[in-house]
Amino acid sequence: MVDDLRLTMERVGERFNLGEYEIEAYLAVLEHGQLTASEIADKTDIPQPRVYDTVRSLSDRGLVELRESRPMKIVAIDPEDAFGNIQTSLTELVSELEARYTAPARDTEAVTLVKSRSTILRYVEEIIESAEYELVLSLTPDLLQRFRDDLAAAIDGGVSIDLLVTPASLAPSPDEFDYLDVATVARARRGITTPVLAVADGDYSLYATQDALRDDRDRYGVIFNRSALGFLVSSYFGTILWTTAETLAADGKRRPFPRRYASIRRAVKDVREIGGDFYASVAGRDVETGDPVVVEGPVADVTFEDSEEVASLVVETDEGPVDVGGLVAALEDVEGQEILLGRDGVPDREHMI
């Protein structure tokens, strides 16, 4: 069985191990049905001395037929015939490899460095799917289209999404693209220097350069699997990227309460923008002792700077007012790790979870 699997992999590899010249010649012949060697040289960038070796390589792979006339003619073989066997081999190969596949444990490392474009995209998809209540994203227009259905599913599932599209010059117009199908708030930011990033529930996150997604091997993506590190990406998004972007669409008051937040900034902004009475249940820890605490009661006041660098709220408890900040808070009494906001009373934490 092992020898059969190895043989199948070798057969597949041999068929698809095409160089640049082979690809150019093959596509030219496919387009015209048949060509001579000199015609291939004229229609491609393949040097005349390399044409014969190139087409014989294609012939050895069963992709073209060589007719030894004067001049020799290179004839296209129907792709269904040329690739029919390999398609069957690929299906069998994937099935056998899948049977041997052992999923790696991804939650043991705090930081993972990846350089493969396909791996970065797989992590973005995984982060989107893992979000339970809050998602922040910075995507290129191409990635927005790629993950459109995934984002729409997250919105339908009640996930709140802050979406940043960059560069703004290439972002779809709100008249042509319904951003509220895929985001709670959507903004556009100028510049290709804006990174691609994703953070689910303030925890599982990814940071990558746009260059890394253009197959530039000198670039990279970083995966953060622990909340303290995901907070760094989320804070960078909230204070540097989000505040320097222009709004494309916002859902206003459409989402029902109670709502669940990983970001203190999002919670405070909703309180300020919507207005009226709010009640909070905040799970976090005492900033001096580190002990876990739950703070519950009416929201008495909020602090929010236009720069979005400072955001906090005051909860009126039975023991008196408690200042709540975000992750790694130092000035407030409590570091808020998960914030529930309701309109008619303190949210039922057990019911929400």
Side-chain angles (χ1 to χ4, degrees), residues 47-59:
Q48 180 77 45
R50 294 293 308 276
V51 172
Y52 285 97
D53 289 341
T54 299
V55 297
R56 291 192 186 282
S57 174
L58 293 175
S59 176

Side-chain angles (χ1 to χ4, degrees), residues 116-136:
S116 162
R117 178 179 186 273
S118 61
T119 302
I120 292 173
L121 293 176
R122 176 171 56 80
Y123 273 108
V124 172
E125 180 179 13
E126 189 172 281
I127 289 170
I128 293 172
E129 292 178 349
S130 71
E132 296 181 7
Y133 56 94
E134 185 175 287
L135 184 65
V136 299

Side-chain angles (χ1 to χ4, degrees), residues 177-244:
F177 186 94
D178 191 348
Y179 283 96
L180 295 184
D181 280 347
V182 298
T184 309
V185 183
R187 293 184 179 182
R189 188 174 191 265
R190 181 185 177 199
I192 62 171
T193 56
T194 304
V196 170
L197 63 80
V199 186
D201 303 331
D203 183 358
Y204 190 14
S205 59
L206 171 144
Y207 176 102
T209 63
Q210 288 193 36
D211 289 336
L213 295 168
R214 286 191 285 267
D215 288 324
D216 186 335
R217 295 183 181 180
D218 293 331
R219 307 298 180 175
Y220 60 88
V222 185
I223 315 300
F224 299 93
N225 292 335
R226 295 179 186 170
S227 59
L229 295 171
F231 162 73
L232 298 177
V233 182
S234 185
S235 295
Y236 172 69
F237 175 90
T239 58
I240 304 299
L241 304 183
W242 192 248
T243 56
T244 55

Side-chain angles (χ1 to χ4, degrees), residues 107-122:
D107 57 355
T108 56
E109 296 294 333
V111 181
T112 303
L113 184 67
V114 293
K115 291 189 175 182
S116 162
R117 178 179 186 273
S118 61
T119 302
I120 292 173
L121 293 176
R122 176 171 56 80

Side-chain angles (χ1 to χ4, degrees), residues 155-166:
I155 285 289
D156 290 343
V159 177
S160 176
I161 300 178
D162 277 0
L163 171 67
L164 185 65
V165 184
T166 182

Side-chain angles (χ1 to χ4, degrees), residues 20-129:
E20 181 180 349
Y21 288 163
E22 283 91 348
I23 292 172
E24 279 197 65
Y26 181 54
L27 293 178
V29 175
L30 276 182
E31 183 177 355
H32 293 87
Q34 70 175 28
L35 293 171
T36 64
S38 61
E39 287 172 335
I40 289 176
D42 291 340
K43 296 179 183 299
T44 68
D45 294 328
I46 305 173
Q48 180 77 45
R50 294 293 308 276
V51 172
Y52 285 97
D53 289 341
T54 299
V55 297
R56 291 192 186 282
S57 174
L58 293 175
S59 176
D60 291 342
R61 288 172 168 78
L63 300 180
V64 300
E65 175 186 339
L66 303 184
R67 294 183 181 172
E68 301 290 347
S69 57
R70 292 182 179 271
M72 182 177 68
K73 294 181 179 179
I74 299 91
V75 181
I77 294 177
D78 188 328
E80 186 171 348
D81 295 331
F83 291 96
N85 290 337
I86 204 66
Q87 184 174 355
T88 300
S89 297
L90 271 173
T91 301
E92 294 173 353
L93 176 62
V94 170
S95 296
E96 291 186 35
L97 292 176
E98 188 68 28
R100 293 168 178 265
Y101 173 66
T102 300
R106 294 182 188 148
D107 57 355
T108 56
E109 296 294 333
V111 181
T112 303
L113 184 67
V114 293
K115 291 189 175 182
S116 162
R117 178 179 186 273
S118 61
T119 302
I120 292 173
L121 293 176
R122 176 171 56 80
Y123 273 108
V124 172
E125 180 179 13
E126 189 172 281
I127 289 170
I128 293 172
E129 292 178 349

Side-chain angles (χ1 to χ4, degrees), residues 135-157:
L135 184 65
V136 299
L137 292 158
S138 171
L139 300 176
T140 64
D142 287 344
L143 293 182
L144 172 60
Q145 296 292 349
R146 180 187 182 100
F147 295 114
R148 180 173 187 166
D149 291 344
D150 299 297
L151 294 174
I155 285 289
D156 290 343

